[in-house]
Amino acid sequence: MTTPNSEAIESYQAILQHEESLYRTYGESLSPEETYLSEREVTDCLAGATSVEDLLDDDMLLEFDAGYRSTHFDLLYRLSHIRNRYENDPLVFESEISIETEKVPDFGERELFEVLSEAGVSSERAELITHAVEGNDAEIDGLSSHQATAIEEILDGTNKCLTLDGPTASGKSLTFSIPSFKHALDSLDYQGGTQTSSLLLYPRQALIRDQLSTLLPRLDRLNNRLEEIGHRPISVGIDHGDTPNDLSSDKKEESFFGITCPRCDPGTDDNDLIIDAVTGVPQVRCPACDEAFEYILPTKRSIAEEPPAILLSTVWTVYHRLRSSRGSNATRYDDLEYVVLDEAHIYTNYVGGHVQYILQLLKEAGTEGETPQFVLSSATLSNPVEFAQNLTTLDRETVAHVDYSEVLELAGVEDERQLVHYYVLPPPNRSVETLNEAVVQCLNLWCAKGNYRALNFIDSIAEINRQYSYIAKYILSPNGNRGEEVVRHTHSEYSQDDPFSWEPLLSADWDGSTRGDFQSYTMNAFADSIGTHTSELHDLERNQIEDSFNAPDGGKRLLLSTSTLEMGVDLNSVAAVLQYKLPPGKNEGVIQRIGRAGRNPDTYRVGLGIIEFSSSPSSMMYMFDEDLRQELENVSNLSPSQIGNSASIQVQHVLSRALHQMAREGHETYADGIDGLQSKAELIEFLKELVGYVDTTELPASFVDPESTRRQTFERQQEEFISQLRTIISGYETTEDASDIDPERILTKSQRYYDELRQIRRKLESVRRDLEALPNIPGEYMEPIEGTAESLRTITHLVNELEETVRRAWYTRDPGQLQQWVAENEEELREAIEQVPERSEMHDLLFMDLMVWVSGEYGSTSELEDKYDLYMDEITEKLTNSVQRFEPEREDSFKSEIELLLDEVEELQGQNLEVLAATHVLTRFEQLVSEYQRARGAHLFPVLNTILQNSIHFTGTFDAPQPEFEMARDTV
């Protein structure tokens, strides 16, 4: 199949549009013969010199007895009736088809050199950047109208922020990387040593690897030219959790993220870059051509010692570095000129609230009055300008936006990409999992015919492993079903017009094949072409899978993937995306994922998105509500993206700002994940220093409305945080005077007693109600029961009140509350305990008095039971059991246990609770340190969460506290 020209693409897309209209006309079904196309209808859709034979030869058009069908609508016809056996019911209960169109970028429309020159870049530097992007064997030749306009806006000095929108494959990465070259060239004039001028932030490590793979050949061309004219090179580095600290002493070399050499031919074997230390200094080298790339800084140590001009990282890593006191981490971003947040829609809600403050620190780090320029890139932001303004806290007039559709419309662009959305719902008695497994097999066969690629997004690693294992180890395995679920569709007695037949999906290689030969293919090459892509895979394995998937003749054709392939990673020839259920809580994920399909002209610029709904009510709503489905198709239908800014986030970033200042001034912060806190004395000395910094740290006024209740909550939480730290410090100095009494144990015991007493009360109240129903029962028999019930009510109430008082006193460190409760209630509680009769007394009441009365009044207990449905045996058991826990001789007697509890409370009220609290806090700290025995002490955030018992939650990963709460809108 040759790459189609624009006329063939236009023709095929017109055919799809006409097929959709027939689908609508004939009951939204593909079964009627009228939904096939006549030759006249096909001809009317053709553009230029494209012929029916051209599309037939490319297998984009299929001919049947009833007429023609496009390969896409033929596939949907067969999927709508999909079933494993002919006699089975279809696995699709409801289905819906819609087509969304979008403009295709007019790449090559504008010359890069001209755009840079008009934006004020000097001719020398414009030539260098143009050579880097377009020189030698580069595939880039000019910019699209959208790219050119965006670059002009970025290089306009009045814009402090640009929102770079546009669908997948619209060239956003190249757009924001070109200004990074300009800033890097500017930094070569800097005389104070190396500096990081551009910080490119990505939400996932796999995306960083992909972006550097694309960036590196361009940077290599630029550095080669710089070397020719006698300039030092532009350095680059990757800084995230998997970046090695240094080359291990026991390793001679290790892979550099699986990135291939930019100088070797693409087909060269064993050209993945490695890190080695042949010269005693870690360097990146290609084992195939033996070229060394000294401008690539491969380790955290080399990056810290000599910050690269261009740094690829994550916002979580940046946050980690800003708090770190190791080396120059806290100051490495002081000279930033340019910050990119790719896939910026990730930074919403709780995560976005944290990112706000991190960006604020980056803004404040540099020279006073000068802040870096920000670029926010995303394909799925419905409110890009408002979102960018909130996230960066910049003034509205400094935030620029280039609307993708408007720019291409003004440029007169006519080429379009079509996204065919196919929604399916399984029958109520069938699982969506069974449907997905069947669709995977059918879709993989269709991809094999067109040499396409497909992705099956499943938002659970466990679910991926389960489905892949069932497909690979049973359905397609020689030891399982031997691929029968595929073979019975392709080599059957049914005609190609029958939707059960998958024969039209076969490539020409298998026309007329024997059943045995095709079955062997199904169990081997066909089965091997299906793979998985998750975060559980090692980097090397994941890179190999991506390379195999991208290669024209690669072995992998369909991948079951989590969100690891959702964003940014460059994937070739993806024709279809299969979405298993809806992604949890984010409709933009569907748009992002389906947007990966149909990017390549080889797919006729048609992307197929199959969305499988589950039978849950919330999911089924999308099947039957067109407005909801539109949220899965178009960014403009999404709800505005919001930023969270809660009081708990603000307290954390008061701490972060204090730690950042401490690190800048050379103080240890224990926040860099290397050396932690190891002893109580070390902890106390650090807390003393920390309190001083936190106490004098303020948030920028723009972050919190001074009149809002959130401001009051924040100030209260900040005061509570400082107060708790001071309590630990002041209590530590007198911990030797502390008792070994444990308030937490008192709370646990009192809560347990309260629960048990409530159960006993219910039993006794039940007995009392039953006996009160008897007419004329003498009061002398009821009085002991009612008196016991009253005593139990008093005991239960006072034990519950005691537990609440101990809790308040303990957390406020105020023993006065305990002293007041003891003075007012201890005597009453002890008296109530004494008034509970012993079990023997209750027994005598029942058997020597009450039973005599029953016999005299009713003749026998059986007559009482028949008349009132009251069973004396049950009453006796409940009554005696209700007081048996008060027997003095029992080991677990309430009398002795509650009296012991009161003794402990009396001891507690005489304690200095601040000192006692410090004792318990330091004990928990020592337990935490022991858990970090393989490391050098415990890291700061776990320490704070432990000693504060998560009353204020600190997180380096921006996870929300539990229970999660709804975030308020930003006040900026």
Side-chain angles (χ1 to χ4, degrees), residues 48 74 108 168 320 412 433 504 526 733 739 844 889 894 901 906:
D74 180 67
T168 307
H320 193 76
E433 180 179 343
F526 182 84
E733 297 173 353
S739 166
D844 291 345
E889 67 273 9
F894 268 133
L901 179 67
E906 285 189 346

Side-chain angles (χ1 to χ4, degrees), residues 424-436:
V424 288
L425 178 70
N429 62 333
R430 302 304 297 269
S431 71
V432 66
E433 180 179 343
T434 302
L435 171 62
N436 190 74

Side-chain angles (χ1 to χ4, degrees), residues 764-765 767-769 771-772 776-793 835-837 841-842 845-846 849-850 879 883:
L764 192 60
E765 292 287 349
V767 170
R768 185 182 59 78
R769 287 192 299 270
L771 293 177
E772 282 181 340
N776 304 319
I777 184 170
E780 62 189 276
Y781 301 137
M782 292 301 299
E783 285 175 4
I785 297 173
E786 290 173 347
T788 302
E790 181 62 31
S791 294
L792 287 175
R793 277 195 296 272
Q835 290 171 2
V836 176
E841 295 179 48
M842 279 292 180
L845 170 69
L846 288 168
D849 297 325
L850 184 60
L879 198 56
V883 297

Side-chain angles (χ1 to χ4, degrees), residues 550-579:
N550 271 330
D553 55 350
K556 298 302 179 187
R557 187 167 50 241
L558 188 150
L559 295 179
L560 283 67
S561 174
T562 56
S563 58
T564 51
L565 288 177
E566 176 181 318
M567 297 177 292
V569 178
D570 192 18
L571 303 173
N572 298 328
S573 298
V574 174
V577 169
L578 173 59
Q579 174 63 51

Side-chain angles (χ1 to χ4, degrees), residues 194-248:
T194 59
Q195 60 172 345
T196 297
S197 58
S198 296
L199 180 62
L200 312 182
L201 301 176
Y202 303 89
R204 293 198 175 95
Q205 295 177 8
L207 185 52
I208 292 179
R209 179 254 181 188
D210 182 76
Q211 293 296 306
L212 185 58
S213 295
T214 303
L215 181 71
L216 200 53
R218 297 167 186 161
L219 184 58
D220 195 58
R221 283 192 289 270
L222 178 55
N223 280 333
N224 287 338
R225 180 62 62 86
L226 287 172
E227 184 180 8
E228 292 173 3
I229 60 178
H231 281 288
R232 58 190 171 99
I234 294 171
S235 54
V236 67
I238 289 179
D239 186 22
H240 56 53
D242 287 346
T243 304
N245 289 317
D246 210 344
L247 195 60
S248 303

